[in-house]
Amino acid sequence: MAVQPIRLFADPVLRAVAEPVTGFDRELRALVKSLQATLRAGAGRAGLAAPQIGVPLRVLVYELDGRSGHLVNPRIEVSERKVVADEACLSAPGLWWPLERSYMATARGRDMFGKPVTVRALGMLARVLQHEVDHLDGVLFADHLPAEERERFFAAIS
């Protein structure tokens, strides 16, 4: 599958709420494979959402610490326990920013064939899942920063 260019923060597709997938067909499987190829094309990549390659559908892929997979139409539940860790985004290359996220997450969705999938994650994988689901909702990780930090972040990417 072809590696796709990753859209940058200024791209309006990243601000749109992605549409639910309704057809579990060859096109969806090709999208998942393209997302996986794009994710694996660079070092240090842990997750990627379809809007980041310009496709406004609710699909994400992840690969971290020996766990990899994809979710179609994911819903996520998070724990109350929060942790602060540096976070980055492929749509803002080279920038890491401390951000508070839930330590534990459970994501439920479907695989590319329509079969139900549940991913339970702790720590960094939980962070990745939260980050990618945010992309599906048109939310960028900088949106979670306090106003002053958000201003500094956007100044750094411009």
Side-chain angles (χ1 to χ4, degrees):
M1 282 294 114
V3 172
Q4 300 295 315
I6 294 174
R7 304 293 179 97
L8 299 179
F9 257 50
D11 193 313
V13 73
L14 297 176
R15 287 298 190 178
V17 176
E19 294 293 322
V21 170
T22 57
F24 293 82
D25 54 15
R26 187 177 318 176
E27 283 185 36
L28 176 62
R29 290 189 291 281
L31 172 61
V32 169
K33 289 175 183 175
S34 186
L35 283 164
Q36 290 168 332
T38 303
L39 181 65
R40 292 178 180 139
R45 296 179 175 186
L48 185 64
Q52 289 181 277
I53 62 167
V55 179
L57 290 174
R58 298 189 71 78
V59 180
L60 65 85
V61 297
Y62 61 90
E63 186 170 314
L64 182 70
D65 296 334
R67 291 184 70 184
S68 63
H70 65 277
L71 287 165
V72 177
N73 298 333
R75 297 171 320 284
I76 194 164
E77 299 165 17
V78 297
S79 67
E80 290 184 28
R81 179 180 171 199
K82 308 279 186 190
V83 293
V84 175
D86 283 347
E87 190 163 322
C89 182
L90 297 175
S91 294
L95 289 179
W96 292 81
W97 223 266
L99 182 66
E100 183 178 77
R101 293 255 192 203
S102 292
Y103 177 72
M104 184 172 27
T106 301
R108 291 180 175 83
R110 304 235 170 233
D111 70 10
M112 66 177 115
F113 302 102
K115 190 172 126 183
V117 175
T118 299
V119 180
R120 290 180 179 80
L122 301 172
M124 194 55 71
L125 183 55
R127 178 174 296 276
V128 168
L129 293 173
Q130 291 168 76
H131 181 109
E132 300 312 329
V133 169
D134 274 355
H135 273 302
L136 302 179
D137 293 331
V139 175
L140 303 174
F141 87 94
D143 297 340
H144 294 293
L145 297 171
E148 184 177 296
E149 286 294 308
R150 191 170 39 250
E151 283 180 32
R152 286 185 36 216
F153 175 83
F154 282 111
I157 65 170
S158 54

